[in-house]
Amino acid sequence: SFSFLLFFSIFLFVFLAGIPTFSAASGPFTSYAVRRWDFLSVEYEWTTKEDAGHMRVPICYGSPYITAMYSGMKPRLSKPPGPALLLVNGTDVAARGTDPLTITTSALNWTLATNYNQNWVFYTQNEVQWTCTMEGCTAEESDLVVRAAHNPSERHFLYRSAYATGAELEVVVDDDDAAIHFRWEVQGEGQLAMFALPHHRQILSHATRIDPALSVHTGLAGKISAVIGSDWYMSEGLSELGESFWDGGATIDADKAQAIIAQLQVDKPTEVIANQDPYTFGKRIARLARLALIAKELGEEGYAMDVARLMEQSLSIALGFGDQATNEDPLVYETRYNKAPGRREAGGGARR
């Protein structure tokens, strides 16, 4: 569930039709790295050859904004490739030709030329002077925190100043209950707003403040709403593990056994799992484990051992171990992003 919340935060910005490019007024970024990470966030840092400063972007679960923290450089915001930048705070920048627009605001509003409503708003805590053309906008100040939101509501302006840069996760298990605590690391002023999924809301403390005016309706996750404050306290009852098929407390009906054994032979794998992305590999290796367990329960020890050997070979390939290091896309630890887990790229590098 936590990973889905992070995925949804990124989906709001990346998979929409066009995302602005963040850079520095002096030029594009030339290097970047993962600066730090925890259970609920990861922070990236970008630098340029021309500036001694940097831009840092903390990606936290459920953030309603993209947050870019500039130090020692002036922000430059470029329009997405493809759609034209029609309006900046209601002014037609294309109609101005080569005459740039100078505007002072704490909410820089872009309207893009797409086939559906698409606005990007860039918030700053205080009013900032921007110089804008059809290609984008450049701030006249350095050391700014710029927060971007896609098609935002009025509530985004209210919560623009406080932002999370990381978090601590604490889980305490007492018998059949788990107490879960998210403690967000907060910078800026005012109150922090972070999105919570429906199943988070079901277990949040009754004292939790929810702002229903800052919410997003999704087809996959349902309605996600903003939790206000730097601490999330959740309490969840843990499932009681009773007798199940796998602990030997249950048996297969004798009249079904032969049919299942026959189907096992039909489903028996014959090749190792190789050159799969990590997501697909996990699902396929789990399928093999389930076949081995069923075979063992039915007394088909040879079948179970054959599948176990196939799993061992597949895992060796996936992890690049020993003589089995033939995977075209193994899991690796790379160095370009400060040794964050990644996948190999052509040329010896790796990507997350």
Side-chain angles (χ1 to χ4, degrees), residues 11 57 62 85 109 162 175 198 242 258 278 308:
F11 169 82
V57 176
L85 178 56
N109 191 331
D175 197 13
Q258 290 305 312

Side-chain angles (χ1 to χ4, degrees), residues 156-184:
H156 278 83
F157 183 83
L158 176 65
Y159 299 113
R160 73 190 187 281
S161 297
Y163 54 95
T165 57
E168 294 180 12
L169 170 64
E170 181 183 15
V171 180
V172 177
V173 176
D174 181 13
D175 197 13
D176 291 333
D177 294 295
I180 306 164
H181 181 198
F182 292 1
R183 182 185 294 110
W184 299 106

Side-chain angles (χ1 to χ4, degrees), residues 229-249:
S230 58
D231 290 275
W232 291 19
Y233 293 97
M234 294 167 280
S235 179
E236 184 162 24
L238 303 178
S239 300
E240 183 177 350
L241 299 179
E243 278 194 347
S244 70
F245 177 84
W246 305 117
D247 64 18

Side-chain angles (χ1 to χ4, degrees), residues 50 71 82 88 110 122 143 150 158 160 166 183 211 221 234 237 246 253 321 329 336-337 344 350:
E50 292 76 11
S71 176
V88 174
W110 286 6
F122 306 90
D143 303 315
H150 181 264
L158 176 65
R160 73 190 187 281
R183 182 185 294 110
D211 187 345
M234 294 167 280
W246 305 117
D253 291 342
F321 288 162
D329 192 16
R336 184 184 304 174
Y337 304 99
R344 187 166 294 150

